[in-house]
Amino acid sequence: MNFSELFKLSGLLGRFSPDGKCLASCVQYRLVVRDASTLQILQLYTCLDQIQYIEWSSDSLFILCAMYKRGVVQVWSLEQPDWHCKIDEGSAGLVASCWSPDGRHILNTTEFHLRITVWSLCTKSVSYIKYPKACQQGIAFTKDGRYMAVAERRDCKDFVSIFVCSDWQLLRHFDTETQDLFGIEWAPNGCVLAAWDTCLEYKILLYSLDGRLLSTYRAYEWSLGIKSIAWSPSSQFLAIGSYDEKVRILNHVTWKKITEFEHPATVVSSKTIVYKEVEKSPSVETERLSFPPTRALASSLFSTQSKYDVSQVPVSLQHIKPVADRANPKMGIGMLAFSPDNCFLATKNDNIPNAVWIWDIQKLKLFVVLEQLCAVQSFQWDPRQPRLAVCTGNSKVYLWSPAGCVSVQVPMEGDFQIVSLAWHCSGDSVALLSKDNFCVCYLEREEVK
Amino acid sequence: MGDWKTITVPVLSSDSKNIFHYTSEKKISPPSMNSQVLRLALPSSKSMHSFFSAFCTEENIEQSISYLNRELTTLGFPSIYAESKGQELNLISIINCMNELLVLQHKNLRAQEEVEMQHLKLGSDMDHLQNCYAKLKVQKLQNIISSRATQYNHDMKRKEREYNKLKERLHQLVMNKKDKKIAMEVLNYVGRADGKRGAWRTDKTEARNEEEMYKVLLSDYEQRQKQLLVENAELKKVLQQMKKEIILLLPPQKQKPKERSEDGPVLSDLEEDIGELNKENMWELSCETVREQLTNSIRKQWRMLKNHVEKLDNQVSRVHSGALNEKDVISREDHELETEKLELEIQQCKEMIKTQQQLLQQQLMSPCDDDTTLLLQDCYLLEERERLQEEWRLFREQKKNFEKERRSFTEAAIRLGLERKAFEEDRGTWLKQQFLSMSTDYKHSENVTTPSAFLGSCDQDNQLVKSTSQRKPPCMLSGPVSAEPCQTSQYITRNSAASKKPAGDSKPNQCVESDKEETE
């Protein structure tokens, strides 16, 4: 495992290109494009204002940089560094911006969600989508990039419009039986669209590509409902995480629940492996001590190493009870992710913030629990194999695979609090992002033992 | 709440304490009854005696009487004195007072019972009401929540409409301003990703899009159907294999048609099924009837297998109780052969002796030269005698051998019986566990026919026993032989193969070993 040096970063905007050749990062108003393996600076672009959002186009030829305060989107080309493009929304304002799957159109959401403007880089045409819904996931593209689903709201009712991305023609327009549509997501096979309601109502609706309602699922009434959902890569399963600390799995044949996963504070199943992160004091050889102490020595003295110990079940995990009178309480299943080979599901119960739960989907049982010392900030699966990278806001990166798990201290001087991760598409490296810096960790093939 | 009543009583000698106790007892006045009825606590039977003697004794008769009189008069009873100041007691008055007091006591007891009953009723009513109250509360809260939710929704909708109006207004303003700033500046337009030219949006394109969409959906459904077909085919294959294996497990029973009599009609069914379902590609059809046939045939065979196993189980349990049958049969047979042989020999010897005797007689009878005849006779006699002696010796030896054999055989048989018992116990439990765990939802079939199946061999055994006991038994099995019906066909076949020759002591060991081999 090799670590690169630290580089400056702002806004957690560090992204690998889809083809894996480059890494784009932002420092205030500058966009830095580096080579993914050597981290040499390939291009350097300067934008008009502080960049709030960057996105690679699907063919890795363009990057868009959105500056919400100014209402401007700037697009840069990697092939031709002189090429420039600026989209100014002016008084309409800008709250969100994204690429279309073909990499030639940019969709800007204006302020107050008045409309979505589709700007084309190929022609002079502009399209408008009216009444977009102001929700978390209002725009969803199918994996093959053919269709786009947009959540809309007219006259206090929710609708979904499906557009064909090639010519932006409206294919289907139908209303959803939701109170307040919270999000939409396509299944990886592009044939089923999941739409779920606000957390005040547990309801998830499944629509076919042609707009037919396939099924509705409601687990319970009154209590807070769905917090997060995830499709399995094969589209066989739909995992729904809710505020009652459970994950319910629906199957694609009958759209009925096949199992539910509970996240209790005490793990009792004897077949589950619980890895607990423990601190181990660093060993210092007294002969090597020198005065004045070198920086490396000082940092290694004060940085705490940690390792994983296997705890014996039953294990009781740290459980927090959130304040009942605040909105958006920190409870329920906040993070869900399937592994790329469909075999595992990683979840995080916000009531037990220090643990990552890994479920074996083939057996539909709890497989591993990772108990960390600090609260889990984010986890991401390796895009190629069942390997999970976890970060908890300290300067360590944790990797789990079915063979075992490892805790690695990033050898940096000073503070480096990792809050986000981004894998390279080949799974050979992962970018570790903190508030002000980032570094890239290169993994060897047989890394985790 | 009790009303404490203390009464000043003239201090008496040793009984003052007791009296005080009595008078200051708690008098409970129930809330419903506002009369001054005293609830007199009846003393327990044990203290009755002491109580009665405690109040009034020889010494304080006068005082007790005056005290009682005072009490009664305060309660409204007539005085017990004959005259107001006299010392004579009015007996009638006393008796009346006692009666009144008793009646009062009865009334009080009844009242107490009623009160207790009411108390219980009220208690249970309270519980019931509390439960109802809790449920009602929940319902009430739910109603409140739902009403609040509807109100909230209504308010939200109102606000949203207002917001939408504002948005529209803003949008109009924004568009009206003709803000030249809303524009895209680009150095040069980029070619499309797929290199083609952009097409106009027409009805044709619309139709094409619809077509594309349905194609996508259809291909997805086709893929899923293919997957399901593959899964179905695999499952069907597994079922077929299971069926074949079950059938394979059953046929060894064909050797004993008697025992399998009840499976006769089923066997023919079996053959029918095999014939049907081995037809080419039959199993590839996925229509209702074929599916039903397959599952039904598997169920049938499973039931047969279950029956078979249960039978085995019964057999094992029976073998466990009747230990040596099979061995006895075999060894008895062999011994029978031996005994027959020996009998034949004896017969021959006897005949020889007879002929010898005859010859001797003839010799004796026939006249001849004295000397030579005498000599000859002597010689003959000697010869004969020697021969006879030898024969006798042989005979005696053989007899001894047979006796030895017989003894050893009995010993061996006893040993064998014991070992066999132990082994059968083990096997029985193991079989039971194994096979009864496999069988789940099939009814326990009747074993009515099984006794009849074994009746034949049972008779056989009895006959054998009888035959052996009649003759002199060179065979040793009279001891632990039991006339119980026996074992599994496997044993019989295998053991008949194993031990053929009656080779002395080695035999029982051989049987035991072959037995042990079977279990391993």
Side-chain angles (χ1 to χ4, degrees):
Chain A
M1 207 178 275
N2 287 326
F3 290 92
S4 72
E5 54 181 76
L6 279 179
F7 299 104
K8 281 223 172 297
L9 185 77
S10 69
L12 293 177
L13 297 169
R15 302 262 188 284
F16 280 105
S17 65
D19 61 0
K21 290 197 197 140
C22 310
L23 170 65
S25 58
C26 295
V27 187
Q28 301 298 329
Y29 57 91
R30 281 213 176 88
L31 177 69
V32 184
V33 178
R34 296 169 192 272
D35 180 77
S37 32
T38 63
L39 292 182
Q40 260 189 341
I41 297 182
L42 296 174
Q43 304 281 359
L44 188 62
Y45 306 99
T46 312
C47 294
L48 297 169
D49 194 12
Q50 183 159 29
I51 306 170
Q52 260 100 38
Y53 180 68
I54 63 167
E55 191 178 324
W56 284 91
S57 69
S58 53
D59 52 7
S60 307
L61 293 176
F62 299 97
I63 307 178
L64 74 77
C65 305
M67 289 141 267
Y68 298 143
K69 277 189 232 161
R70 282 277 242 114
V72 166
V73 173
Q74 278 186 283
V75 188
W76 303 103
S77 160
L78 285 176
E79 288 179 308
Q80 298 173 351
D82 309 325
W83 189 88
H84 63 270
C85 171
K86 184 176 81 162
I87 302 171
D88 195 339
E89 288 287 344
S91 44
L94 186 68
V95 291
S97 179
C98 66
W99 280 104
S100 72
D102 64 358
R104 296 290 179 270
H105 295 83
I106 294 179
L107 290 91
N108 283 345
T109 311
T110 59
E111 211 159 3
F112 304 117
H113 285 83
L114 283 178
R115 63 167 191 251
I116 296 178
T117 321
V118 185
W119 298 94
S120 166
L121 292 178
C122 322
T123 67
K124 285 188 187 174
S125 61
V126 179
S127 307
Y128 296 103
I129 301 174
K130 285 196 85 179
Y131 311 114
K133 176 126 196 200
C135 59
Q136 215 182 47
Q137 267 174 258
I139 303 176
F141 293 102
T142 57
K143 201 159 147 203
D144 55 7
R146 274 204 212 174
Y147 303 101
M148 170 178 84
V150 178
E152 297 176 8
R153 192 163 175 98
R154 294 163 205 248
D155 295 331
C156 310
K157 268 172 70 176
D158 294 314
F159 295 89
V160 170
S161 296
I162 301 183
F163 293 92
V164 182
C165 290
S166 51
D167 52 9
W168 303 110
Q169 217 168 34
L170 177 65
L171 189 64
R172 285 287 187 276
H173 179 80
F174 51 91
D175 69 329
T176 64
E177 295 157 15
T178 52
Q179 286 258 358
D180 188 7
L181 185 60
F182 196 67
I184 51 175
E185 193 168 322
W186 285 103
N189 65 5
C191 297
V192 182
L193 179 71
W196 62 98
D197 212 338
T198 174
C199 59
L200 289 174
E201 186 98 19
Y202 193 128
K203 199 195 250 185
I204 185 158
L205 301 143
L206 293 143
Y207 292 95
S208 160
L209 176 59
D210 58 347
R212 286 174 302 129
L213 175 63
L214 292 172
S215 172
T216 311
Y217 178 68
R218 294 191 77 175
Y220 51 79
E221 282 190 288
W222 302 123
S223 302
L224 290 179
I226 301 175
K227 195 165 186 184
S228 56
I229 78 154
W231 282 100
S232 76
S234 63
S235 312
Q236 271 180 307
F237 302 112
L238 175 61
I240 307 172
S242 46
Y243 280 89
D244 66 345
E245 303 180 54
K246 287 193 198 161
V247 172
R248 290 172 177 83
I249 309 262
L250 307 185
N251 78 93
H252 74 306
V253 179
T254 59
W255 299 117
K256 293 218 184 334
K257 176 184 86 165
I258 52 174
T259 186
E260 55 183 50
F261 293 148
E262 287 190 11
H263 297 72
T266 313
V267 179
V268 290
S269 150
S270 56
K271 298 225 176 107
T272 312
I273 311 172
V274 179
Y275 290 107
K276 192 182 158 81
E277 188 196 358
V278 291
E279 281 189 6
K280 57 178 189 192
S281 47
S283 56
V284 182
E285 297 164 18
T286 44
E287 297 93 58
R288 283 181 51 204
L289 284 175
S290 63
F291 189 79
T294 59
R295 258 179 128 183
L297 191 60
S299 64
S300 74
L301 271 177
F302 290 112
S303 69
T304 48
Q305 298 283 317
S306 75
K307 64 183 171 85
Y308 278 109
D309 264 345
V310 179
S311 313
Q312 289 294 326
V313 270
V315 174
S316 79
L317 304 162
Q318 208 184 354
H319 180 95
I320 58 167
K321 210 168 150 119
V323 193
D325 55 355
R326 289 260 179 93
N328 299 322
K330 275 201 168 42
M331 57 192 254
I333 310 301
M335 284 194 228
L336 277 181
F338 275 96
S339 70
D341 62 351
N342 241 343
C343 294
F344 300 105
L345 172 67
T347 64
K348 180 187 162 211
N349 180 1
D350 291 337
N351 281 78
I352 305 174
N354 291 14
V356 176
W357 307 66
I358 300 176
W359 305 82
D360 184 341
I361 295 298
Q362 287 174 320
K363 297 190 193 133
L364 291 178
K365 281 211 163 90
L366 180 59
F367 188 42
V368 165
V369 176
L370 299 176
E371 197 188 341
Q372 310 290 129
L373 288 169
C374 315
V376 173
Q377 299 288 327
S378 139
F379 55 72
Q380 297 280 341
W381 285 102
D382 180 333
R384 290 281 170 91
Q385 51 179 303
R387 186 159 62 170
L388 186 70
V390 181
C391 64
T392 64
N394 52 16
S395 57
K396 297 190 189 69
V397 65
Y398 306 93
L399 286 166
W400 174 86
S401 82
C405 63
V406 74
S407 142
V408 185
Q409 166 80 24
V410 177
M412 294 302 160
E413 305 161 358
D415 241 357
F416 181 47
Q417 286 162 341
I418 307 172
V419 290
S420 181
L421 305 157
W423 281 93
H424 188 261
C425 60
S426 67
D428 287 334
S429 55
V430 57
L432 311 169
L433 316 172
S434 81
K435 204 165 66 111
D436 302 312
N437 304 72
F438 79 94
C439 85
V440 179
C441 167
Y442 294 94
L443 304 161
E444 284 149 25
R445 282 284 149 170
E446 299 89 15
E447 188 54 59
V448 180
K449 285 170 201 144
Chain B
M1 297 291 284
D3 297 323
W4 291 88
K5 246 189 179 180
T6 53
I7 299 162
T8 52
V9 170
V11 177
L12 297 161
S13 47
S14 54
D15 303 332
S16 57
K17 243 195 300 185
N18 295 335
I19 296 172
F20 207 72
H21 244 313
Y22 163 68
T23 55
S24 41
E25 261 193 32
K26 220 158 135 181
K27 286 152 195 154
I28 300 165
S29 52
S32 57
M33 305 191 138
N34 49 11
S35 61
Q36 289 167 6
V37 175
L38 296 172
R39 178 164 165 266
L40 302 171
L42 274 178
S44 63
S45 53
K46 282 184 206 165
S47 56
M48 193 77 90
H49 199 70
S50 55
F51 175 73
F52 284 140
S53 52
F55 174 60
C56 182
T57 55
E58 298 288 330
E59 291 99 46
N60 60 351
I61 290 179
E62 286 299 320
Q63 282 111 336
S64 354
I65 292 175
S66 67
Y67 164 70
L68 276 176
N69 187 44
R70 262 207 309 279
E71 289 287 313
L72 287 168
T73 46
T74 51
L75 283 173
F77 288 103
S79 166
I80 56 174
Y81 284 125
E83 292 142 32
S84 45
K85 277 189 188 168
Q87 296 289 318
E88 287 167 14
L89 297 169
N90 187 354
L91 192 61
I92 297 170
S93 170
I94 291 172
I95 291 169
N96 281 335
C97 288
M98 274 175 63
N99 185 42
E100 286 293 318
L101 286 169
L102 279 171
V103 166
L104 213 61
Q105 170 71 359
H106 284 314
K107 246 203 278 177
N108 286 339
L109 280 173
R110 273 204 300 274
Q112 190 186 337
E113 267 177 41
E114 272 178 38
V115 166
E116 276 177 9
M117 194 110 89
Q118 240 187 3
H119 183 72
L120 279 170
K121 253 197 249 170
L122 285 172
S124 70
D125 280 342
M126 269 286 271
D127 285 335
H128 179 67
L129 280 171
Q130 270 175 354
N131 285 341
C132 289
Y133 181 66
K135 278 187 213 157
L136 276 173
K137 222 176 163 185
V138 166
Q139 262 182 0
K140 218 177 165 187
L141 283 170
Q142 278 189 338
N143 286 343
I144 289 174
I145 290 174
S146 56
S147 70
R148 282 185 89 103
T150 44
Q151 183 66 32
Y152 167 73
N153 284 339
H154 175 81
D155 281 340
M156 277 293 284
K157 285 211 170 99
R158 198 159 44 88
K159 288 221 166 69
E160 211 184 315
R161 282 194 197 103
E162 231 183 274
Y163 175 61
N164 283 340
K165 270 192 234 163
L166 277 170
K167 277 209 298 193
E168 288 285 319
R169 196 88 173 83
L170 182 65
H171 195 198
Q172 275 171 19
L173 284 170
V174 164
M175 293 306 274
N176 286 346
K177 251 194 177 184
K178 294 235 165 131
D179 208 340
K180 296 236 174 99
K181 287 215 282 178
I182 299 180
M184 183 169 88
E185 259 178 50
V186 67
L187 186 64
N188 54 281
Y189 284 105
V190 187
R192 278 166 60 96
D194 49 3
K196 292 186 208 157
R197 285 169 182 256
W200 292 104
R201 260 195 247 170
T202 57
D203 289 334
K204 244 202 229 169
T205 55
E206 231 180 89
R208 207 168 15 100
N209 284 336
E210 289 272 318
E211 222 183 275
E212 286 288 323
M213 176 189 83
Y214 283 120
K215 266 194 215 160
V216 166
L217 277 176
L218 272 174
S219 65
D220 180 59
Y221 279 125
E222 268 172 23
Q223 203 190 32
R224 265 204 258 161
Q225 200 201 13
K226 261 188 230 162
Q227 276 176 5
L228 286 170
L229 273 175
V230 165
E231 211 183 298
N232 261 355
E234 274 178 30
L235 288 171
K236 273 196 198 144
K237 244 191 265 175
V238 167
L239 280 176
Q240 289 277 340
Q241 268 176 16
M242 260 179 65
K243 211 178 78 140
K244 279 188 200 143
E245 277 171 27
I246 292 175
I247 293 169
L248 282 175
L249 276 176
L250 295 171
Q253 294 310 306
K254 278 190 185 155
Q255 289 180 24
K256 287 249 168 168
K258 261 189 266 173
E259 291 170 359
R260 307 286 300 166
S261 54
E262 73 278 14
D263 297 323
V266 188
L267 275 174
S268 60
D269 253 337
L270 213 170
E271 288 160 22
E272 235 181 79
D273 281 341
I274 296 172
E276 262 181 44
L277 289 158
N278 282 347
K279 277 190 211 155
E280 278 186 36
N281 301 330
M282 193 72 180
W283 61 276
E284 279 178 16
L285 293 176
S286 58
C287 64
E288 187 83 20
T289 44
V290 174
R291 221 182 328 130
E292 268 177 33
Q293 269 175 18
L294 181 59
T295 46
N296 285 342
S297 66
I298 286 206
R299 281 210 194 103
K300 233 190 292 178
Q301 256 120 63
W302 180 250
R303 232 177 282 143
M304 273 160 58
L305 182 67
K306 207 183 140 224
N307 286 348
H308 175 52
V309 166
E310 275 165 11
K311 251 183 259 154
L312 278 179
D313 207 23
N314 286 338
Q315 284 173 3
V316 165
S317 61
R318 275 181 217 172
V319 163
H320 160 63
S321 47
L324 304 161
N325 296 330
E326 201 184 311
K327 296 286 180 257
D328 303 347
V329 171
I330 301 294
S331 38
R332 226 178 272 150
E333 275 173 18
D334 283 351
H335 278 289
E336 243 213 301
L337 284 169
E338 271 193 59
T339 51
E340 275 176 31
K341 264 189 252 164
L342 290 169
E343 278 168 20
L344 264 173
E345 273 189 54
I346 289 169
Q347 199 68 20
Q348 280 170 8
C349 291
K350 275 194 186 156
E351 271 171 32
M352 237 189 342
I353 291 167
K354 263 197 199 146
T355 49
Q356 293 292 331
Q357 272 191 340
Q358 272 174 14
L359 280 172
L360 211 94
Q361 283 283 332
Q362 275 178 10
Q363 286 293 325
L364 284 171
M365 296 306 257
S366 61
C368 49
D369 296 336
D370 289 331
D371 293 357
T372 50
T373 50
L374 273 170
L375 265 170
L376 277 170
Q377 276 179 6
D378 277 352
C379 293
Y380 284 146
L381 279 169
L382 272 170
E383 235 185 21
E384 273 195 286
R385 198 195 289 166
E386 277 176 25
R387 233 187 303 132
L388 275 173
Q389 273 179 357
E390 239 190 30
E391 280 180 15
W392 268 109
R393 199 171 34 82
L394 271 169
F395 189 70
R396 265 192 238 111
E397 262 182 37
Q398 275 184 352
K399 195 174 173 192
K400 252 190 265 166
N401 284 343
F402 290 147
E403 284 294 328
K404 248 195 281 170
E405 265 187 30
R406 179 195 177 182
R407 253 182 267 125
S408 64
F409 272 129
T410 39
E411 278 168 21
I414 293 168
R415 248 188 293 126
L416 189 66
L418 290 169
E419 279 174 37
R420 217 211 159 108
K421 259 188 205 162
F423 164 69
E424 288 308 333
E425 274 173 12
D426 285 357
R427 186 171 191 270
T429 50
W430 179 80
L431 267 178
K432 256 193 192 145
Q433 278 171 13
Q434 273 267 312
F435 284 106
L436 287 176
S437 70
M438 275 169 31
S439 65
T440 50
D441 51 358
Y442 295 107
K443 280 191 196 156
H444 194 80
S445 56
E446 294 164 357
N447 290 332
V448 180
T449 50
T450 45
S452 65
F454 295 110
L455 214 52
S457 51
C458 176
D459 289 339
Q460 268 180 34
D461 288 354
N462 285 332
Q463 282 167 17
L464 278 171
V465 173
K466 274 189 208 145
S467 58
T468 51
S469 58
Q470 271 163 20
R471 287 168 248 243
K472 233 197 221 179
C475 93
M476 48 299 157
L477 304 162
S478 48
V481 162
S482 54
E484 297 258 349
C486 59
Q487 325 46 44
T488 66
S489 52
Q490 291 168 346
Y491 276 144
I492 295 170
T493 49
R494 282 194 207 168
N495 283 319
S496 58
S499 54
K500 281 289 180 187
K501 47 179 175 67
D505 284 6
S506 61
K507 195 164 168 252
N509 295 332
Q510 213 176 35
C511 296
V512 171
E513 274 162 13
S514 64
D515 224 329
K516 285 193 182 145
E517 275 165 19
E518 275 167 40
T519 60
E520 276 138 31

